[in-house]
Amino acid sequence: MSNEIGKPLSRLDGRPKVTGAARYTADTPIEGLTYAVFATSTIPHGRVTKLDVSKAEVAPGVLKVLTHLNTPKLKPIQHPPAGQSLMPLQDDRILYEGQPVALVVADTWERARHAADLVRVEYARAPFLMDFTEHLDKAVTVKGFFEPDSKTGDFDRAFNSAPVKLKQNYHLADRHHNAMEPHATIAAWRRGKLDMYDTVQGVFVARTVIAQALGRKPADVRVRSKYLGGGYGCKGFVWPHQILAAVAAREVRRPVKLVLTRAQDYTSHGYQAATEQTVTLAAGRDGQLVALRHESVAPGSMSDDYVEYGAIASRTMYACPALETRHRIVRVNRGPGTPMRAPQEGPSMFGLECAMDELAVVLKMDPVELRLKNYAERDPTKGKPFSSKKLRECYSEGAQRFGWERRNPKPGSMREGHDLIGWGMASALMETYRFPATARVTLERGGTVLIESGTQEIGTGVYTIMPQIAADVLGVAPERVRLVLGDTTLPGAGMTAGSSTTMGVGSAVHDAATKLKQKLTEMAGGPIAPDAYADLLKRRRLEKLSAEGLWKPDGEAGTGESKEWTMYTFGAVFVEVRVDESLRVPRLARCVGVYSAGRIINPKTARSQMTGGMIWGLGQALLEHTELELNYGRYVAKDLANYLVPVNADVPDLEAYFVDEVDEHASPIGAKGIGELGAVGVSAAIANAVYHATGVRVRDLPITVEKLL
Amino acid sequence: MKNFTYSRAENAESAIILISSNADAKFLGGGTNLVDLMRENIEQPDALVDVTNLSKDIEETADGGISIGAAAKNTAVANDKKVREKFPVLAQAILFGASGQIRNMATVGGNLLQRTRCYYFYDDAARCNKREVGSGCDAIGGFNRIHAILGTSDACIATHPSDMCVALAALDAKVLVEGKHGKREIAFNDFHKLPDNTPQIETELQTGELITAVEIPKNDFAKHSIYRKVRDRASYAFALVSVAAALEVENDAIKNVRIALGGVAHKPWRAFEAENFLTGNQATGTNFRQAAEAELKAAKGYEHNSFKIELAKRTIVSVLKELAENGGIKR
C-alpha cells in the first residue's frame, strides 16, 4: 500500500473537462449522421384520432416520420429496469403530456425540429387526473422496490399512553433532475448490430432493455457512455426515446442522433414525485420516543409502479419501540416518477426531521439533544446492528464547528440589522445500496496501468478515484494509471446510482489490482518494487499483464443489508438562514455538514459531492417546484428560467467534513456511498431554521416568500 | 422555426425603409428575447432588420440629462459613469436583470420591447389573447403566481418583465422614436400600455416605428435613488415585485419622491397615488405605509398572486425607509 487512498488528488479529468477535450455523448462524431426530433402530445389523456404528417414528410431534408401507424412493433419491456413499460408510437393511447406522437428524422437537426413542428395531431380527450393531493381517497398500495408497509411494536398502545403527542402533515413538491446535459442518444446499425452512444448511468442496463425491446440478443448491442453532464437519477432507468432512436436508425438505414429538448426533459424520463407525508410522534417528557408513525402518499403513473418512499427513513433513523410506516400512490396522468438525488431518504427525512424539530419545541429541548436521546444503536425495524455508525461524532463535531451552543432557542430572537437569523439542524441518513462489479487491471509496457470497467462517470470523480485505488495497491503514481469505462465491451458493472460506484467498482478494482500484484510477485519470485514492473514485463517478453477483479456484496444486491449487518451512511447538518424582517424572502447563509460515511477515498472530490448535495437540498428547500397546469394536465413551464435551481448567488459558505471511519463490513476498501447523502437533511434543517428565524413553521416545500408574509 | 430574411441597417433611416417594405418584419436588437420567441414559434417574422449598428452613444444632453442610443447594450448603460452618478437607480435596475451574458447582448431599445414571460403566452397549446386575439386568457383561471395585480383586464393579466424600464418610469424618461412620418417623443409612462381589451398592443409604437434613443431629463435628486428587486432566486430570476424610488427630503418634508413598481402590471407601474400622498408630508414609516396602501388600493389578486399586494406595499415601505434613513442622500 502506498497511501494513495485518502489523498485529496485533483480530478485527473479536470483538464479535459474544462478545456472541452472531454467528449460527451452528443458530441460524438459519426459519419452520415441524421437527426431525430419528437413531436409530443399536448394532452395528458386520450387517443390520437388524426395525425397529419403530410407537411412534415415533404419538408426539406426529412427522411422519415415515424408515428404509431408506421413504427415497427416492439417487444414488451418491464419497469424496472425500463423507466416505464409504456412504449410510445405503438398505439394511439395517450397517458401523459409530452408522450411522443411522432419522431421526425432529417438530415439536419434544424430541419428535423422544423418538420416536427409541422406535425398536426387531433385528439379525443379523456378525463384526466393531475393533482394527487385532491384524490388521496384513490390511494393504492403497490409493491415497488421496497415493502410498502412496516410495523414494529404496538403503535396504538404506546401512542395512547404517551404524555407528549404530535401529528403533522408535510408536503414536498414535484421536482425535476434538470441535468445540465440533456438526454442524448446516437444509434448506428452496423452489419445487423447496434452501436449506441447514450447518456446513461448504466451501459449494461441500457443494453439489456434496448436489446429486449428490439428482440435482439444483448451481444448484438453495444452501449457507450464516456462522460455524463449530470444525471441525478434520470439517466438510470432506460427510457423510450433511447429505444426509438435505435428504431429510427434502422428505418432510415443511417445513424441517428436524438437529443431531447429542454422542455422534453421534463416529460421524458421521470421526476421526483411529490410526497404528502403525515408524521405522528409520541414521546415521554424526557424526549424518549415511544411511538412513531410515518405515512406517505405520492403520485404514481398510469402505466407503472414506481413509488417514492416518502416515509422510509423512519424505519431506521430513531430507536423507537412502536414504529410504523406506510406508502401509497395515487395514479395520475403523468409520466412515472424515477429516483432523483436523494430518492426515498431525501423526501422522508424532511418530514421526520421537521417533526423532530417540532417535538423539540414542544418539549423545550435542544434539537440535538432530542436526537441523541433517541439515538439508534441498531436498526429498529430490521433489528440488526449498523455495520458502522458515527453519527454521535457528527452531531458533536457539527455543533461545535457551527457554534450551535450560541443559539438562542427563542424564534425571532437572533437578528442583525434588518435580517432575522435562524439556526436549524437535521440529521442525514442514506441506505448503502451495494451492487456487484467487475474490473480488469492491466500493467502495460512502460509501466503504466490501465483499469477497465463498464461503469460510468457522472461527474463524481470516478476517473480519479479508481486510479487512486489501483495506485494504492500497486504502488505507482495515480497519474500513471488511467481508467477506461462506459462501454459494454468492458468488464461488467452496475448502474452509477444509489451512491454505489466507489464502493462497488472500487472494490472490484482493488481486487483486480491485488491479484495483479500477486501475479507480479509470483513472476518476480518475491516482493517487487513498482519501478521494476516494466522491466519484469520486458524480461518476460510480455506486452502486458492483466488481472480480473470482482466484488459482490454478501447480501442481497441493491440493498444495504447482509446477514449480520444493516448499512447506512449518516450525517448532521447545521444551517443558518436569513430572512429580511419585512420582505420575508428566505436565504441560506451558511451550512455545516459532518458525515459518517465510511472510508473517504479522495477528500477533495468527496467534499465536492457533499457541497453539491447541500446545494441540491437548498434547491429542494427554497426554490424547486415543478408546477402543474391543472386545467390542461400539463407542466406549467418546462425551462430553466421558470424552474428555479440555485445559482451561485444563492449559495453561501458550505462546509463539509467526514468523521474518520472505515467500514469493512460494507466493502473491502472500507468505503460506502456519499453522492446522495449530502442532499439529505438540508431541506429539513433549512425549514427548521426558517421557523427559528420567523416563528413560522412551513411544512410545505419550497419555502417561498408568500408562506412567510 | 420559420425561415426569415436578415438584413442589417446602418442608420435609422435605412432601418425604417427596410422594415416598411415588409409588414411581417421586425427589428432585431440583441435578440435575447425575440430569438427565443422565434424558436418557440411564438414570434414568426418573415424578416429581421438588425438595428444594433444604430447609435449606442450615452451622452449628456444640453439640459444636463442623459441620452442613451437605442442600440446601447444594457451592460454599457449600467457601467456608464454618468448614469451611475446621476441615476444610480437605473444602473442598479439593469444589474438586477437577467445575467451578465444577456446584459452584454441586450439593447436598450430591445429591453423596452421585450415581451411578457407569462407561461401561457409561451405555450402555444394554451389560450392567450396576446398570441391569438380573442382566444381567451388561460392565466386568469390557471397558475398565476407571477402575474399582475394592477391594471389588469379580463383579457390579460400578464406583467412586463423589465427591470430597466421600472427605473426609467421613475425617472420620467422619454422615448425617442422615428418612423416614415418623422420623429416624435413619447413620455415613458405613455409608452407601455395596459392590456384593456387589446393586450396584443403593448406599446404606443406605430407599425414601422423605431426606437432611436431614450432620454432622461435632468433632475437633482435621482442620485438619491435605489432599486430593490424581490425574487425567489438571488439572481437570474424575474421580479415578484420590484421598486425603483428616489426621495428628496427638505426641512423634514418630502419635496420630491418618485416610485415605480415592477412585476405587478402590464407596464412599469408609476405609483402616482403614493407620490401624491407623500409629497409635502413627513418621511415617516407610517406615511410610507399609507402611501403604499393608497397605491395598492386598486390592486386585485388572483388565485396564486394575492401575496404580491402585501409584498408590494412592504417593498415600497422598505425602500423609502432606506432612502429616508440615509437622509435621502445616498444609498
Side-chain angles (χ1 to χ4, degrees):
Chain A
M1 292 280 190
S2 66
N3 300 322
E4 292 302 333
I5 291 179
K7 280 190 185 165
L9 188 64
S10 292
R11 286 168 192 266
L12 299 176
D13 55 342
R15 180 176 286 268
K17 277 183 173 167
V18 299
T19 57
R23 189 170 276 157
Y24 288 79
T25 298
D27 303 332
T28 314
I30 302 279
E31 207 157 307
L33 201 55
T34 65
Y35 301 82
V37 173
F38 281 121
T40 60
S41 165
T42 55
I43 67 158
H45 191 204
R47 285 180 187 277
V48 174
T49 52
K50 200 175 161 197
L51 257 169
D52 180 2
V53 296
S54 56
K55 284 200 177 111
E57 280 178 334
V58 299
V62 170
L63 301 166
K64 186 89 187 174
V65 181
L66 289 168
T67 69
H68 71 275
L69 299 170
N70 64 349
T71 301
K73 291 289 170 259
L74 296 160
K75 300 275 184 288
I77 51 172
Q78 294 81 36
H79 160 79
Q84 61 187 51
S85 57
L86 176 80
M87 181 56 67
L89 306 190
Q90 295 290 289
D91 56 42
D92 61 356
R93 285 182 308 156
I94 300 294
L95 287 180
Y96 59 93
E97 180 239 345
Q99 185 179 322
V101 292
L103 182 59
V104 177
V105 188
D107 58 353
T108 71
W109 176 78
E110 289 81 1
R111 286 169 147 184
R113 181 167 176 166
H114 177 67
D117 284 340
L118 299 176
V119 174
R120 290 286 163 268
V121 191
E122 286 175 28
Y123 304 97
R125 290 160 198 267
F128 60 84
L129 232 142
M130 266 316 256
D131 184 359
F132 80 107
T133 63
E134 286 176 11
H135 300 277
L136 294 175
D137 56 314
K138 297 190 178 75
V140 295
T141 309
V142 298
K143 172 83 169 74
F145 292 156
F146 308 99
E147 288 300 327
D149 295 353
S150 74
K151 184 172 162 56
T152 310
D154 187 340
F155 179 89
D156 288 335
R157 212 171 117 190
F159 184 79
N160 289 334
S161 59
V164 183
K165 293 169 190 174
L166 187 145
K167 182 175 182 178
Q168 286 298 348
N169 293 325
Y170 302 91
H171 181 80
L172 284 86
D174 292 312
R175 299 160 73 205
H176 274 81
H177 308 72
N178 286 304
M180 201 185 292
E181 176 198 39
H183 277 239
T185 299
I186 297 174
W189 291 87
R190 294 192 179 100
R191 289 181 218 96
K193 297 203 172 187
L194 175 62
D195 199 2
M196 294 188 76
Y197 297 83
D198 208 356
T199 52
V200 294
Q201 291 173 233
V203 289
F204 287 94
V205 171
R207 182 179 73 162
T208 303
V209 177
I210 292 164
Q212 185 184 349
L214 298 170
R216 311 298 284 242
K217 294 193 295 286
D220 290 344
V221 179
R222 180 179 183 186
V223 181
R224 279 179 262 192
S225 167
K226 295 295 177 185
Y227 286 99
L228 284 167
Y232 312 109
C234 71
K235 294 167 181 168
F237 292 145
V238 185
W239 299 94
H241 67 270
Q242 300 167 246
I243 295 160
L244 292 170
V247 172
R250 199 167 58 185
E251 291 298 303
V252 300
R253 297 171 173 280
R254 283 174 66 179
V256 163
K257 173 153 87 174
L258 193 165
V259 181
L260 295 180
T261 65
R262 181 57 66 183
Q264 288 167 356
D265 271 314
Y266 286 80
T267 52
S268 301
H269 39 72
Y271 66 104
Q272 182 174 72
T275 47
E276 189 78 34
Q277 304 176 18
T278 305
V279 182
T280 314
L281 298 177
R285 297 215 181 275
D286 60 351
Q288 185 71 58
L289 288 173
V290 295
L292 162 57
R293 179 187 282 153
H294 195 161
E295 298 154 283
S296 167
V297 186
S301 72
M302 291 294 171
S303 62
D304 293 285
D305 287 348
Y306 180 78
V307 181
E308 189 65 38
Y309 287 83
I312 207 162
S314 290
R315 292 179 183 173
T316 307
M317 189 63 218
Y318 293 113
C320 180
L323 211 163
E324 290 184 12
T325 63
R326 198 173 294 166
H327 298 93
R328 302 289 180 268
I329 62 166
V330 175
R331 296 195 187 278
V332 294
N333 287 101
R334 298 161 63 187
T338 208
M340 172 169 148
R341 189 191 198 187
Q344 334 309 358
E345 278 87 347
S348 54
M349 283 297 276
F350 177 74
L352 178 61
E353 288 297 273
C354 287
M356 287 296 278
D357 199 68
E358 299 204 47
L359 181 63
V361 171
V362 172
L363 292 165
K364 296 190 169 56
M365 202 168 166
D366 180 80
V368 178
E369 200 189 323
L370 177 65
R371 284 162 175 86
L372 288 169
K373 182 86 191 166
N374 292 287
Y375 197 84
E377 297 292 354
R378 40 176 57 233
D379 189 308
T381 301
K382 293 171 191 159
K384 291 177 187 173
F386 295 106
S387 57
S388 70
K389 177 178 181 178
K390 289 192 174 176
L391 180 55
R392 272 203 187 86
E393 288 86 332
C394 297
Y395 288 133
S396 67
E397 185 181 338
Q400 182 254 321
R401 287 184 181 275
F402 186 84
W404 185 254
E405 70 199 20
R406 298 195 309 274
R407 179 179 186 260
N408 180 339
K410 191 165 170 257
S413 62
M414 295 169 67
R415 53 195 304 157
E416 185 182 318
H418 295 292
D419 280 347
L420 300 168
I421 296 173
W423 286 6
M425 61 82 57
S427 317
L429 171 82
M430 195 73 208
E431 185 168 356
T432 301
Y433 303 117
R434 304 189 305 163
F435 297 93
T438 62
R440 179 164 51 236
V441 176
T442 301
L443 176 67
E444 303 172 309
R445 239 170 65 156
T448 54
V449 176
L450 170 69
I451 307 171
E452 295 165 285
S453 178
T455 184
Q456 298 72 219
E457 156 57 29
I458 200 172
T460 51
V462 170
Y463 277 120
T464 310
I465 292 162
M466 298 306 157
Q468 276 182 279
I469 294 170
D472 191 81
V473 175
L474 294 168
V476 301
E479 292 79 7
R480 302 268 290 163
V481 186
R482 72 183 204 283
L483 170 65
V484 174
L485 53 64
D487 192 332
T488 48
T489 60
L490 296 172
M495 266 202 254
T496 299
S499 310
S500 65
T501 301
T502 299
M503 171 179 40
V505 178
S507 292
V509 168
H510 187 270
D511 184 49
T514 305
K515 284 172 179 160
L516 179 63
K517 194 170 182 189
Q518 277 165 10
K519 281 190 183 180
L520 289 164
T521 309
E522 281 163 22
M523 205 177 272
I528 172 169
D531 53 11
Y533 290 165
D535 255 11
L536 182 65
L537 285 191
K538 207 173 167 186
R539 275 191 281 120
R540 294 293 179 115
R541 293 200 172 84
L542 289 171
E543 280 294 311
K544 58 183 183 179
L545 186 67
S546 295
E548 309 275 335
L550 161 75
W551 180 70
K552 63 180 177 191
D554 53 341
E556 192 188 334
T559 73
E561 205 172 350
S562 70
K563 212 171 140 192
E564 288 169 87
W565 307 102
T566 180
M567 293 162 212
Y568 286 83
T569 51
F570 304 89
V573 186
F574 295 81
V575 305
E576 174 179 319
V577 300
R578 300 247 171 168
V579 183
D580 182 281
E581 60 182 341
S582 168
L583 302 181
R584 312 292 276 187
V585 180
R587 299 275 186 240
L588 182 64
R590 62 193 178 103
C591 180
V592 174
V594 181
Y595 300 96
S596 160
R599 190 178 189 191
I600 298 308
I601 306 299
N602 180 328
K604 189 181 269 187
T605 55
R607 181 192 172 275
S608 176
Q609 281 286 290
M610 303 324 280
T611 54
M614 289 172 181
I615 297 166
W616 205 253
L618 158 62
Q620 179 187 34
L622 300 182
L623 295 170
E624 290 183 52
H625 188 194
T626 312
E627 194 60 47
L628 301 172
E629 212 313 319
L630 297 175
N631 297 318
Y632 283 106
R634 294 201 287 263
Y635 293 121
V636 168
K638 293 170 284 193
D639 58 62
L640 291 172
N642 289 296
Y643 183 101
L644 302 187
V645 296
V647 294
N648 277 330
D650 293 287
V651 180
D653 278 349
L654 306 174
E655 297 177 39
Y657 306 95
F658 297 96
V659 294
D660 212 13
E661 188 179 30
V662 176
D663 188 339
E664 280 160 355
H665 305 301
S667 68
I669 56 172
K672 289 159 126 174
I674 58 167
E676 288 157 313
L677 181 65
V680 183
V682 178
S683 59
I686 289 174
N688 296 339
V690 166
Y691 170 77
H692 181 235
T694 63
V696 180
R697 180 67 69 176
V698 182
R699 303 184 182 91
D700 176 22
L701 294 183
I703 304 170
T704 45
V705 60
E706 60 264 48
K707 297 170 187 172
L708 297 174
L709 276 174
Chain B
M1 197 172 188
K2 202 171 95 179
N3 281 338
F4 58 91
T5 63
Y6 169 90
S7 55
R8 182 183 281 248
E10 292 310 318
N11 51 48
E13 208 170 31
S14 69
I16 292 158
I17 292 167
L18 281 167
I19 206 137
S20 62
S21 60
N22 189 332
D24 281 326
K26 282 203 168 280
F27 291 123
L28 174 70
T32 57
N33 185 214
L34 177 58
V35 174
D36 281 357
L37 290 166
M38 288 167 67
R39 286 200 182 113
E40 299 291 335
N41 291 315
I42 307 300
E43 296 271 18
Q44 301 192 332
D46 287 334
L48 292 181
V49 178
D50 187 332
V51 290
T52 52
N53 267 4
L54 272 57
S55 169
K56 17 175 109 56
D57 297 339
I58 304 169
E59 293 170 323
E60 221 159 315
T61 55
D63 77 343
I66 285 179
S67 169
I68 303 167
K73 302 290 189 189
N74 283 195
T75 299
V77 179
N79 290 340
D80 186 86
K81 201 162 168 249
K82 301 180 289 292
V83 169
R84 290 196 162 198
E85 276 173 11
K86 288 172 188 269
F87 310 114
V89 67
L90 178 58
Q92 288 169 30
I94 292 171
L95 293 176
F96 273 113
S99 65
Q101 294 91 332
I102 293 171
R103 296 193 296 267
N104 287 343
M105 289 298 290
T107 63
V108 166
N111 191 313
L112 264 61
L113 295 179
Q114 65 179 304
R115 306 201 65 187
T116 184
R117 261 58 174 191
C118 172
Y119 316 121
Y120 299 91
F121 174 65
Y122 271 80
D123 179 0
D124 63 5
R127 296 179 308 157
C128 171
N129 286 319
K130 275 186 186 296
R131 221 176 347 90
E132 209 180 321
V133 176
S135 63
C137 170
D138 275 332
I140 289 174
F143 183 65
N144 44 40
R145 181 172 184 264
I146 64 169
H147 290 77
I149 51 171
L150 286 164
T152 55
S153 73
D154 290 343
C156 181
I157 59 169
T159 58
H160 193 263
S162 171
D163 293 295
M164 186 184 85
C165 289
V166 182
L168 290 174
L171 294 170
D172 261 346
K174 287 179 292 192
V175 185
L176 274 54
V177 305
E178 200 171 327
K180 56 187 169 189
H181 302 303
K183 300 180 181 183
R184 63 184 183 124
E185 282 180 15
I186 304 170
F188 203 84
N189 196 51
D190 297 333
F191 184 80
H192 296 98
K193 296 167 73 91
L194 288 175
D196 296 320
N197 281 322
T198 52
Q200 74 280 10
I201 303 171
E202 293 170 353
T203 68
E204 274 299 317
L205 278 183
Q206 301 299 308
T207 308
E209 270 188 323
L210 171 73
I211 300 171
T212 55
V214 172
E215 270 187 25
I216 307 171
K218 173 182 158 64
N219 109 25
D220 286 331
F221 64 96
K223 57 179 181 274
H224 322 313
S225 61
I226 53 176
Y227 186 73
R228 168 116 9 118
K229 183 173 183 178
V230 183
R231 48 182 162 179
D232 294 318
R233 178 159 69 182
S235 178
Y236 193 54
F238 292 100
L240 294 167
V241 166
S242 69
V243 171
L247 183 69
E248 183 178 25
V249 181
E250 198 175 80
N251 300 329
D252 240 17
I254 295 170
K255 186 178 170 197
N256 266 305
V257 61
R258 299 277 181 77
I259 306 166
L261 307 179
V264 295
H266 198 255
K267 59 185 281 186
W269 187 268
R270 180 73 179 271
F272 290 115
E273 295 280 342
E275 291 179 10
N276 289 341
F277 177 87
L278 288 171
T279 306
N281 263 322
Q282 284 186 312
T284 64
T286 317
N287 282 340
F288 294 153
R289 180 73 197 189
Q290 278 192 39
E293 294 285 353
E295 190 62 49
L296 273 299
K297 205 172 164 201
K300 179 182 170 188
Y302 294 82
E303 189 181 350
H304 306 98
N305 73 348
S306 295
F307 73 95
K308 281 190 176 185
I309 299 173
E310 177 62 21
L311 186 61
K313 290 175 188 172
R314 291 192 188 188
T315 312
I316 291 171
V317 173
S318 174
V319 167
L320 292 175
K321 271 187 177 168
E322 184 176 330
L323 284 166
E325 275 164 24
N326 294 327
I329 287 164
K330 64 181 174 63
R331 210 195 147 176

